[in-house]
Amino acid sequence: MLAEMKYLNTSHSLPVAASRSRLSTLSTPIDQATGSSDIQLARSNQYATLVTINVDTYPSRHAYGFRTMSDLCREGAQRGQSDLAQATSRHTQEAQQNIESVGKKGAAARAVAAYVNQFWASVNKSRRMVVQSIPDPTITVNPSRVEGEIDPGRYKYAIDTHAGIPSSTEFNKGYIEGYLKDEGYIRNWISIGGYDTSV
């Protein structure tokens, strides 16, 4: 009896409203400006020289008798010229006196006396001492100096704007649209013996 029973089957669906859209876009590709820099820090490049002291003790050493070879040669040459001039003058005078007095009475005694006086005069001259003050050394002080020049450094900054390169603009129009994804329906049918579950 149940096998012959009729069943009312109902199937229905509702429409689905949907939409799709796209925003408008504006593209303007532009090369960005670039910058470059060249930097060198400032430096003093200055320094102070040391204090120098020069002590010239030559005048003092020379007064003490410490002489250089140049001094000895120069003094010897000067003394030789002086002695030569004095000896030449003395011999000339002695010769002139001998010529004038050679025939006179007592000439030999006078000549011997003159040579004796000359001898003792040279001896007394060699005994003479000369006293003089010893000069102080010459001291020269060179003070410290600041040398060198200040380097102010440098700072260079350049910006490249890429001028002259054309830019482009691209516009994409947006849209919005609606649509039904499925249309709704209602369907009824009869099945025997049970509900139709295949649909």
Side-chain angles (χ1 to χ4, degrees):
M1 182 104 180
L2 292 175
E4 295 178 358
M5 189 174 177
K6 295 180 180 180
Y7 293 86
L8 177 63
N9 297 286
T10 301
S11 174
H12 63 86
S13 65
L14 298 176
V16 177
S19 66
R20 64 172 63 93
S21 64
R22 184 178 67 184
L23 297 176
S24 299
T25 59
L26 179 62
S27 177
T28 56
I30 300 174
D31 289 339
Q32 298 295 325
T34 58
S36 61
S37 61
D38 182 12
I39 301 174
Q40 178 178 321
L41 299 178
R43 294 175 294 184
S44 66
N45 289 339
Q46 289 187 330
Y47 59 93
T49 61
L50 298 177
V51 177
T52 58
I53 301 176
N54 297 325
V55 180
D56 184 10
T57 60
Y58 175 78
S60 303
R61 291 185 290 108
H62 188 272
Y64 274 114
F66 294 96
R67 291 172 172 79
T68 63
M69 292 301 296
S70 299
D71 294 336
L72 293 175
C73 292
R74 182 175 60 255
E75 292 175 2
Q78 293 174 354
R79 186 168 56 251
Q81 292 177 353
S82 176
D83 291 347
L84 178 62
Q86 291 178 5
T88 302
S89 176
R90 187 179 67 253
H91 292 323
T92 302
Q93 292 177 1
E94 290 175 355
Q96 186 67 29
Q97 290 176 359
N98 291 335
I99 292 173
E100 292 177 356
S101 62
V102 66
K104 296 180 180 179
K105 184 178 179 181
R110 285 193 299 272
V112 171
Y115 284 116
V116 171
N117 291 334
Q118 181 180 353
F119 170 78
W120 286 113
S122 62
V123 171
N124 293 330
K125 183 179 179 181
S126 63
R127 290 178 179 177
R128 187 176 59 182
M129 297 179 62
V130 179
V131 179
Q132 61 182 4
S133 62
I134 298 175
D136 296 329
T138 303
I139 301 176
T140 304
V141 179
N142 298 318
S144 176
R145 301 185 309 275
V146 177
E147 297 183 353
E149 296 181 357
I150 297 177
D151 184 0
R154 64 175 181 270
Y155 177 80
K156 182 192 295 182
Y157 188 78
I159 299 177
D160 186 2
T161 59
H162 305 288
I165 299 177
S167 60
S168 61
T169 302
E170 181 181 354
F171 176 73
N172 296 317
K173 184 178 180 181
Y175 65 88
I176 183 170
E177 62 180 3
Y179 61 93
L180 292 176
K181 192 173 183 181
D182 193 8
E183 294 183 359
Y185 66 90
I186 298 175
R187 191 167 62 116
N188 297 317
W189 73 95
I190 295 173
S191 61
I192 298 173
Y195 288 104
D196 189 358
T197 57
S198 60
V199 179

